[in-house]
Amino acid sequence: MFKSYNIVCMKQDKEVTIYDIADYLNISAATVSRGLKDHPTINKKTKKKILEAAQKLGYRSNAFASNLRTKQSKTIGVIVPRLNSYFMSTVIAGIESIANEEGYQLIISQSQEDEQKEAANAITLFNSRVDGIMVSLAANTKTTDHFKPFLEKNIPIVYFDRVVETPDSLTISIDNYKAAFEVTQHLIDKGCKRILHLGGNVNRNVYADRLAGYKAALKQAGLPTPDNLVFFSNLSEDAGVEAANYINNLKQKPDAVFSANDTCAAYCMIRLKQLGYKIPGNFLFAGFNNDPISKVVEPNLTTIAYPGYPMGQIAATHLINHLKGIADISSTNSVLLRHELIVRASTQK
Amino acid sequence: MFKSYNIVCMKQDKEVTIYDIADYLNISAATVSRGLKDHPTINKKTKKKILEAAQKLGYRSNAFASNLRTKQSKTIGVIVPRLNSYFMSTVIAGIESIANEEGYQLIISQSQEDEQKEAANAITLFNSRVDGIMVSLAANTKTTDHFKPFLEKNIPIVYFDRVVETPDSLTISIDNYKAAFEVTQHLIDKGCKRILHLGGNVNRNVYADRLAGYKAALKQAGLPTPDNLVFFSNLSEDAGVEAANYINNLKQKPDAVFSANDTCAAYCMIRLKQLGYKIPGNFLFAGFNNDPISKVVEPNLTTIAYPGYPMGQIAATHLINHLKGIADISSTNSVLLRHELIVRASTQK
DNA sequence: TTGTAGGCGTTATCAT
DNA sequence: ATGATAACGCCTACAA
């Protein structure tokens, strides 16, 4: 009878608790709790006994109870505009690698480039009591009011890539201004005089800074920057095609194109080639991101490489160090990662 | 004095609980609890009062306490080989869209194509008491023993894309065999007689089935399948280059290449072009996945499209329906999604 | 329809 | 170094 009862017990959902371990070893639950952690005042031998018993009885700690008690979740929330872009998924991979190592869970959600959804996701994360959040902003996000609840509760926020400088939070990005300046300077060095820019939503730092860097380089070189040399879009594949058509219709053609991302650049190039233009013969081309397609499109695309994986790792490391009390986020305002100009055939005449 | 005390209170971490709401309204906490849910036996008016008071007091429900009590986490675990691949991130995006809608959180981890890490992640998810898991297997995973704890506790498992058929769990994939058969048949229809296959790790269904479909099509057409016409690799960019070199060294050249993914196909093509071959002149080419690069590489790559986003949505829907008791996973063995042969320039002589 | 009361599994504060 | 005990916030029989 006993035996079958036991078997039933094993098979059922009876979770083993620290009390079961305590009973089994004839000690108190408090001691078991200590033994399971790295509590300073615990006898090494009893700790060993406890660990063995836990193993033997099939114990697994109950995070809910622990979280309820300690009021922290060991969970980090992540909000990104889209998961299915090469760069973002690389960043997430980097974040995951650190979080996993440090024993933090990741709750990931996408804003679909929409401020409303970003706010909704923020609330959800807030309610699930994440210990901190990492955010890359949606294209149309105007304010960061929806993150205020976090600040009020001292839940740290790290912005990455598409950032906004605020007190109390950290931003991780590259120097988009400088990178764009360098690309543009590279085109100027190649002798270009009319460089067209394919720009993104200037609401976001990444695109505003790239535009500014582009303009600054032109200005420094004494080149004019007429309005019709900047073509704004969402930088999608379709936008690239439209940009090409736009260029085709321009009376005074540019001699180079600098796109704020590689996708738009690639599709613009492809369309221009269809229209009979030669690249780099008629236009030099440069993109941004070092997306996989930049190495496949013909001619290969000159671009700015910046490391998504490390960016994710660094962002996660800062956040977790802050949570662990090792380093304070608010002591640093922003971290700039190194970028690199990758010169390829599209700018080699 | 009072005022400043209150302000301090507001600013501090004093969380509002259902007891606070109860006190505020002079009702019991139990009623508040009911009011916050869709409990059948609650007065509509009191429910409204409760909701308003909750709003006013800044209440947010404590998932830990609730989870502890109800023993379910409203959380789904996801394990994928890599996050930073176009296909996977698209699937994840699909999963997220459904989970978010249904009020489930997602905990995501990557196995880095390693069975050990896959097992470790599984344990972590198990310990964090996810309600269910969704898995796409690592390349070198041999057994699914590390998922047994889930089955023992009746925690549902859905495998997607890189699946393994097991009782008690559901698999979501496409018919890789048929898709590969169709691609190969397409090449045969174009007059190809020696079709080389770039294959992946046959440990995984996706690659084994693609290989089998390829062989079956050849066999049906009465074409030989010598061993040296299959080149196995991890299908990376580098592997594509190696494959090209391999082809270059073959005495009897193939007249077509069918790669189990687009990346490998693209880099193989690029390298072959470097070596002076013409595509599609010397070799017709076909890939698999409809990766963004397939539309950019020249010539554009014939490939198999299959929808990652819907795959994620379907997998998540099945899992959640099972959790909600709407539909039982174990009543279905597998779901096959529709694929599509996309014919592009690389197979147009 | 609402209230009472007990417990979910842990950890922190005492005390021993 | 260990034990007893009281929370953490919520849910749910059961009683009223």
Side-chain angles (χ1 to χ4, degrees):
Chain A
M1 274 307 263
F2 251 120
K3 203 174 171 186
S4 88
Y5 171 75
N6 279 333
I7 287 168
V8 168
C9 259
M10 298 278 294
K11 286 270 173 190
Q12 271 184 356
D13 289 328
K14 296 259 180 197
E15 289 284 347
V16 178
T17 73
I18 55 173
Y19 280 92
D20 299 322
I21 299 177
D23 288 354
Y24 181 80
L25 295 174
N26 273 315
I27 57 179
S28 81
T31 305
V32 175
S33 177
R34 293 186 189 106
L36 261 13
K37 313 263 164 258
D38 272 336
H39 197 93
T41 73
I42 183 120
N43 188 307
K44 289 212 171 183
K45 292 197 173 175
T46 48
K47 180 176 172 180
K48 199 182 162 200
K49 271 199 310 191
I50 290 166
L51 257 21
E52 284 169 356
Q55 179 74 40
K56 184 167 181 180
L57 300 179
Y59 167 82
R60 59 171 179 164
S61 83
N62 187 323
F64 304 150
S66 176
N67 292 342
L68 176 59
R69 196 47 236 257
T70 60
K71 303 189 174 202
Q72 59 149 354
S73 61
K74 291 281 263 178
T75 298
I76 294 169
V78 180
I79 305 178
V80 295
R82 299 225 116 86
L83 244 17
N84 48 342
S85 93
Y86 173 78
F87 176 75
M88 265 312 159
S89 55
T90 307
V91 177
I92 303 265
I95 294 174
E96 197 274 344
S97 73
I98 297 296
N100 193 318
E101 206 169 87
E102 295 281 348
Y104 281 81
Q105 307 272 12
L106 237 45
I107 298 184
I108 298 176
S109 62
Q110 15 179 18
S111 63
Q112 314 274 20
E113 297 286 13
D114 179 53
E115 180 165 24
Q116 301 289 313
K117 241 207 136 195
E118 183 174 286
N121 289 340
I123 292 173
T124 305
L125 292 178
F126 183 68
N127 285 337
S128 62
R129 285 167 157 78
V130 294
D131 293 340
I133 58 171
M134 317 192 36
V135 181
S136 191
L137 294 167
N140 73 350
T141 295
K142 290 277 191 290
T143 80
T144 52
D145 290 348
H146 42 292
F147 297 122
K148 271 191 184 153
F150 293 94
L151 293 176
E152 280 166 8
K153 291 228 182 289
N154 284 315
I155 298 168
I157 303 178
V158 173
Y159 294 99
F160 61 95
D161 194 47
R162 289 154 163 224
V163 303
V164 57
E165 306 268 347
T166 59
D168 318 317
S169 59
L170 176 65
T171 67
I172 317 272
S173 62
I174 60 164
D175 190 335
N176 286 283
Y177 174 89
K178 196 166 160 221
F181 190 100
E182 287 167 12
V183 176
T184 312
Q185 187 61 50
H186 169 70
L187 294 168
I188 294 169
D189 291 345
K190 290 282 175 180
C192 299
K193 301 248 182 282
R194 283 183 63 78
I195 302 168
L196 184 136
H197 179 55
L198 303 182
N201 190 331
V202 292
N203 207 16
R204 289 280 70 79
N205 68 305
V206 289
Y207 304 122
D209 293 354
R210 287 169 203 179
L211 175 63
Y214 153 82
K215 284 191 172 168
L218 292 186
K219 190 173 177 189
Q220 181 179 294
L223 295 171
T225 59
D227 280 352
N228 67 353
L229 275 190
V230 178
F231 183 90
F232 291 105
S233 71
N234 63 359
L235 300 174
S236 65
E237 298 181 2
D238 291 347
V241 174
E242 281 172 34
N245 293 332
Y246 171 79
I247 291 169
N248 187 41
N249 290 329
L250 278 180
K251 289 198 189 80
Q252 210 181 344
K253 298 278 184 285
D255 50 18
V257 176
F258 162 41
S259 171
N261 83 11
D262 288 338
T263 299
C264 191
Y267 279 81
C268 184
M269 275 171 58
I270 291 170
R271 175 65 180 151
L272 284 172
K273 281 162 59 179
Q274 273 179 4
L275 291 170
Y277 297 96
K278 300 294 174 202
I279 296 163
N282 295 110
F283 313 106
L284 299 198
F285 249 87
F288 210 106
N289 271 9
N290 198 24
D291 189 279
I293 63 170
S294 68
K295 287 192 294 179
V296 167
V297 70
E298 292 185 22
N300 282 190
L301 188 60
T302 289
T303 189
I304 292 286
Y306 69 112
Y309 200 86
M311 182 178 282
Q313 292 188 305
I314 287 165
T317 302
H318 275 271
L319 183 59
I320 291 173
N321 280 348
H322 176 97
L323 291 174
K324 295 204 292 194
I326 294 174
D328 196 345
I329 273 184
S330 50
S331 67
T332 315
N333 241 330
S334 66
V335 175
L336 290 183
L337 299 192
R338 180 161 291 121
H339 61 265
E340 190 187 352
L341 175 67
I342 312 273
V343 176
R344 298 210 184 95
S346 68
T347 58
Q348 311 283 42
K349 273 210 185 161
Chain B
M1 277 306 262
F2 252 120
K3 203 174 172 188
S4 87
Y5 170 75
N6 279 332
I7 286 170
V8 169
C9 257
M10 299 277 295
K11 287 273 173 186
Q12 273 183 355
D13 288 328
K14 296 260 180 198
E15 288 285 346
V16 178
T17 73
I18 54 173
Y19 282 94
D20 298 322
I21 299 177
D23 288 353
Y24 181 79
L25 295 174
N26 272 316
I27 58 180
S28 81
T31 306
V32 175
S33 176
R34 293 185 187 106
L36 261 14
K37 313 263 163 263
D38 274 334
H39 197 93
T41 72
I42 181 112
N43 188 307
K44 287 210 171 185
K45 290 195 174 176
T46 48
K47 179 176 172 178
K48 198 182 162 198
K49 271 198 311 190
I50 290 166
L51 256 22
E52 283 168 359
Q55 177 74 39
K56 185 168 180 179
L57 301 180
Y59 168 81
R60 59 170 180 165
S61 84
N62 186 321
F64 305 151
S66 175
N67 292 342
L68 177 59
R69 205 37 244 259
T70 61
K71 304 189 174 200
Q72 56 147 2
S73 60
K74 289 282 261 176
T75 297
I76 294 169
V78 180
I79 305 178
V80 295
R82 298 225 116 87
L83 244 18
N84 49 344
S85 93
Y86 173 78
F87 177 74
M88 265 312 158
S89 55
T90 307
V91 176
I92 303 266
I95 293 173
E96 196 275 345
S97 73
I98 296 296
N100 194 318
E101 206 168 87
E102 296 281 349
Y104 281 81
Q105 308 271 14
L106 238 44
I107 298 184
I108 297 176
S109 62
Q110 15 180 18
S111 62
Q112 314 274 20
E113 297 285 14
D114 179 52
E115 180 165 25
Q116 301 290 314
K117 238 204 140 198
E118 184 174 284
N121 289 341
I123 292 173
T124 306
L125 291 177
F126 183 68
N127 285 337
S128 63
R129 286 167 157 79
V130 294
D131 293 341
I133 57 170
M134 315 189 43
V135 181
S136 191
L137 294 167
N140 73 350
T141 295
K142 290 276 193 291
T143 80
T144 53
D145 289 349
H146 42 292
F147 297 121
K148 271 191 183 153
F150 293 94
L151 294 176
E152 279 165 9
K153 292 228 182 286
N154 284 315
I155 299 168
I157 303 177
V158 173
Y159 293 99
F160 61 95
D161 194 47
R162 289 152 162 227
V163 304
V164 56
E165 306 268 349
T166 60
D168 318 317
S169 60
L170 176 64
T171 67
I172 316 272
S173 62
I174 60 162
D175 189 334
N176 286 283
Y177 173 90
K178 197 168 160 218
F181 190 100
E182 287 168 12
V183 176
T184 311
Q185 187 61 52
H186 169 69
L187 294 170
I188 293 169
D189 291 345
K190 290 282 176 180
C192 299
K193 302 249 182 284
R194 282 182 63 78
I195 302 169
L196 184 136
H197 179 55
L198 303 182
N201 189 331
V202 291
N203 207 15
R204 290 282 69 80
N205 68 304
V206 290
Y207 303 122
D209 293 354
R210 287 169 202 177
L211 176 61
Y214 153 82
K215 284 191 170 167
L218 292 186
K219 190 172 176 189
Q220 183 181 293
L223 295 172
T225 59
D227 279 351
N228 67 351
L229 276 189
V230 179
F231 183 90
F232 291 106
S233 72
N234 64 357
L235 300 174
S236 65
E237 298 181 0
D238 291 345
V241 174
E242 281 172 35
N245 293 333
Y246 171 78
I247 291 169
N248 187 41
N249 290 329
L250 277 179
K251 292 199 186 77
Q252 210 181 346
K253 298 278 184 284
D255 50 17
V257 176
F258 162 41
S259 171
N261 83 10
D262 288 338
T263 299
C264 191
Y267 279 81
C268 184
M269 275 170 59
I270 291 171
R271 175 65 180 150
L272 284 172
K273 280 163 57 180
Q274 274 178 1
L275 290 170
Y277 297 96
K278 299 295 174 202
I279 295 163
N282 296 110
F283 313 106
L284 299 198
F285 249 87
F288 210 106
N289 271 8
N290 198 25
D291 189 280
I293 63 170
S294 67
K295 286 192 296 181
V296 168
V297 70
E298 291 187 23
N300 282 190
L301 189 60
T302 289
T303 190
I304 292 286
Y306 68 112
Y309 200 87
M311 182 178 281
Q313 293 189 303
I314 288 166
T317 303
H318 275 271
L319 183 60
I320 292 174
N321 280 348
H322 176 97
L323 291 173
K324 295 204 292 194
I326 294 174
D328 195 344
I329 273 183
S330 51
S331 66
T332 316
N333 241 330
S334 67
V335 174
L336 289 182
L337 300 191
R338 181 161 290 122
H339 62 266
E340 191 186 352
L341 175 66
I342 312 274
V343 176
R344 298 211 185 95
S346 69
T347 56
Q348 312 281 40
K349 273 211 186 161

